Amino acid sequence: MDIFEKLNTNLGPLGKHSELSEGYFMFPKLEGEIAPRMKFKGKEVLNWSLNNYLGLANHPEVRQADADAATKWGAAYPMGARMMSGNTDLHEQLENELAEFVGKEKAYLLNYGYQGIMSVIDSLIDRKDVIVYDSECHACIIDALRMHMGKRFVFPHNDMESCEKQLKRAERLSKETGGGILVITEGVFGMTGDMGNLKEIVKLKDKFQFRLLVDDAHGFGTMGKTGAGSGEEQEVQDQVDLYFSTFAKSMASIGAFIAGDAKVVHYLKYNMRSQIFAKALPLIMVEGALKRLDMLKNRPEFKDNLWKIVRALQNGLKEKGFSIGSTNSPVTPVVLNGTVGEAATLSKDLRENYNIFCSVVIYPVVPKGMIILRLIPTAVHSLEDVVETIAAFEAIKEKLSSGYYKTTELATSFGE
């Protein structure tokens, strides 16, 4: 088969009907200012689908800082990779402030989160090393593991008994190869909203010799007393050997960082190919990140407002009989039962007739027969938004239970 001829053979249940789904169910286009209420297909919708936890994306002070940086530096500065000609005092200032905030010796800026953590993992390990990881780790971690030439062992999500079994296997193998063990998990899992069991994982360091890498993309800025993340929340940040987060969530920007012991970060600076051979993060983004970090650290009202909305939304949903799984973070998954077709028509009904926009998660991300409506509360949502949303969810849940979404043309088109 020609390399291009096979491209349409593995599109999945929705991709096979892209003429129906694209622009509506998939690749939707939101318009207007970033806010809880935006425009979708010309209509105002209440939006629960932006990872803008602290509401900084469109904050006037943030926009002014971004505008001032653009005027001062333009979009190109600095030119070149950090190692060659792209390093600046501001890059180093941001790294130092990030490291201090998350309680680590050093931090290193990364251009993107997805690319960044893949490169971190690739740089840390070789074919002799063994990886033990949580089954629900993000796609960026899974993609990094696919490149690993050594062994890897997976444990079911947050299953500490299995984690210990996999560590025993890893220990036996690493003794044979002369390699080390890296355990990878997340601070907050972005689909289910529950935290990685960091406290129990670090206890296993008493039995096994390993290093722990935590991806805390959803925990940075939202969890812990100061917002320093899930390690702070669980009081084990000092036992997290490498702490990673992206700027794409609470910081509402582009970029990421990795933080840990100075000697390890120094090694990564000289071995991460995705940074060595890539242009440095532009100073527009760096100055913007400095402003956002300052607001995150020194304006606790943002996190306080976020959690006020989180508690109202999650408690309200549970009081109405909805399952939100085991979330203990702002991520709020509403778990329903239904087919892919029902998910498509439910989503359309929710957006067109109830003016609620949220992410819809279906097979193969979740098991067949399950639908997750994922809500992302933010500091700029209101209690009135919560009331409106719960009322809409009650209505669509009743329709789903009655079989209403099985009878529409779109559901038939998408199939079972």
Side-chain angles (χ1 to χ4, degrees):
M1 180 185 292
D2 179 81
I3 192 169
F4 289 163
E5 290 178 357
K6 65 183 180 181
L7 297 182
N8 289 322
T9 61
N10 295 305
L11 289 176
L14 290 180
K16 292 176 182 177
H17 299 279
S18 58
E19 71 281 0
L20 294 172
S21 63
E22 191 161 325
Y24 198 96
F25 192 69
M26 300 187 301
F27 301 98
K29 299 173 184 177
L30 286 164
E31 300 174 342
E33 298 283 352
I34 297 172
R37 294 185 185 270
M38 298 179 71
K39 290 287 186 68
F40 176 65
K41 292 191 174 294
K43 295 177 62 177
E44 184 179 84
V45 291
L46 176 51
N47 187 0
W48 295 94
S49 194
L50 303 180
N51 293 321
N52 181 29
Y53 288 115
L54 302 182
L56 298 183
N58 209 27
H59 193 283
E61 292 181 39
V62 167
R63 290 188 65 159
Q64 188 62 56
D66 290 345
D68 291 345
T71 300
K72 183 177 181 181
W73 301 107
Y77 194 87
M79 291 300 296
R82 292 280 299 282
M83 185 180 284
M84 303 298 290
S85 58
N87 198 30
T88 73
D89 288 340
L90 288 173
H91 284 81
E92 294 179 355
Q93 178 186 341
L94 179 55
E95 288 170 340
N96 291 336
E97 290 188 17
L98 285 165
E100 181 181 12
F101 182 54
V102 299
K104 298 300 177 186
E105 285 185 341
K106 286 290 183 180
Y108 187 51
L109 281 181
L110 311 173
N111 292 359
Y112 290 97
Y114 200 111
Q115 166 217 57
I117 197 166
M118 287 181 65
S119 194
V120 166
I121 295 170
D122 179 59
S123 302
L124 282 175
I125 58 175
D126 61 29
R127 66 175 67 249
K128 296 179 181 179
D129 299 320
V130 186
I131 295 175
V132 176
Y133 67 101
D134 191 291
S135 63
E136 295 299 316
C137 280
H138 190 270
C140 59
I141 295 171
I142 302 303
D143 281 353
L145 299 183
R146 291 167 67 183
M147 297 191 299
H148 176 40
M149 293 181 290
K151 292 289 185 179
R152 59 184 187 265
F153 300 119
V154 60
F155 58 92
H157 178 49
N158 270 345
D159 185 332
M160 289 301 99
E161 183 178 350
S162 178
C163 180
E164 184 168 355
K165 288 180 180 178
Q166 303 313 318
L167 279 168
K168 289 178 180 177
R169 297 176 68 190
E171 185 179 59
R172 287 195 296 268
L173 185 59
S174 65
K175 286 179 179 178
E176 294 175 6
T177 64
I181 303 171
L182 179 66
V183 175
I184 306 176
T185 190
E186 298 193 23
V188 171
F189 288 84
M191 202 59 62
T192 58
D194 56 342
M195 285 190 290
N197 202 340
L198 307 184
K199 186 171 289 188
E200 295 303 315
I201 290 175
V202 300
K203 285 181 181 179
L204 292 172
K205 286 187 173 185
D206 293 335
K207 297 182 179 181
F208 305 95
Q209 185 176 359
F210 63 86
R211 296 294 186 173
L212 175 61
L213 167 61
V214 174
D215 175 350
D216 205 23
H218 289 270
F220 179 76
T222 68
M223 307 301 295
K225 182 178 180 180
T226 70
S230 302
E232 181 184 52
E233 177 75 20
Q234 299 185 43
E235 300 180 338
V236 294
Q237 183 74 342
D238 60 331
Q239 291 294 305
V240 174
D241 298 291
L242 278 172
Y243 180 88
F244 167 88
S245 187
T246 173
F247 298 161
K249 315 301 183 189
S250 289
M251 297 268 275
S253 186
I254 294 292
F257 71 97
I258 186 76
D261 290 348
K263 63 180 180 181
V264 178
V265 173
H266 182 76
Y267 170 85
L268 290 172
K269 286 172 62 175
Y270 283 85
N271 286 276
M272 291 183 63
R273 294 172 63 84
S274 69
Q275 307 306 306
I276 293 171
F277 298 103
K279 184 179 182 297
L281 197 65
L283 280 186
I284 294 177
M285 314 307 299
V286 175
E287 282 213 13
L290 281 164
K291 176 63 176 178
R292 289 162 170 83
L293 180 60
D294 177 71
M295 295 175 75
L296 188 155
K297 292 190 298 184
N298 299 311
R299 304 276 285 275
E301 64 268 23
F302 294 120
K303 188 163 75 75
D304 292 344
N305 288 342
L306 165 65
W307 277 97
K308 179 179 72 174
I309 300 300
V310 170
R311 286 189 287 268
L313 179 65
Q314 294 185 355
N315 291 338
L317 286 166
K318 288 189 287 187
E319 287 170 4
K320 296 297 182 180
F322 287 94
S323 169
I324 60 171
S326 56
T327 181
N328 48 16
S329 76
V331 179
T332 305
V334 179
V335 183
L336 302 170
N337 297 318
T339 64
V340 169
E342 287 176 299
T345 50
L346 180 153
S347 173
K348 184 175 182 179
D349 190 28
L350 193 59
R351 293 174 182 179
E352 284 195 356
N353 299 315
Y354 298 94
N355 301 321
I356 303 292
F357 189 102
C358 65
S359 299
V360 183
V361 186
I362 56 171
Y363 175 82
V365 179
V366 294
K368 285 184 177 180
M370 178 185 292
I371 303 168
I372 291 181
L373 304 178
R374 189 181 70 156
L375 306 176
I376 302 295
T378 73
V380 287
H381 279 101
S382 69
L383 295 177
E384 290 75 18
D385 295 336
V386 171
V387 172
E388 179 181 340
T389 299
I390 293 174
F393 273 45
E394 285 188 283
I396 61 112
K397 181 181 180 183
E398 184 175 342
K399 287 183 176 180
L400 180 64
S401 299
S402 71
Y404 173 80
Y405 295 123
K406 290 182 178 179
T407 63
T408 68
E409 181 180 348
L410 186 58
T412 302
S413 298
F414 278 101
E416 297 300 308

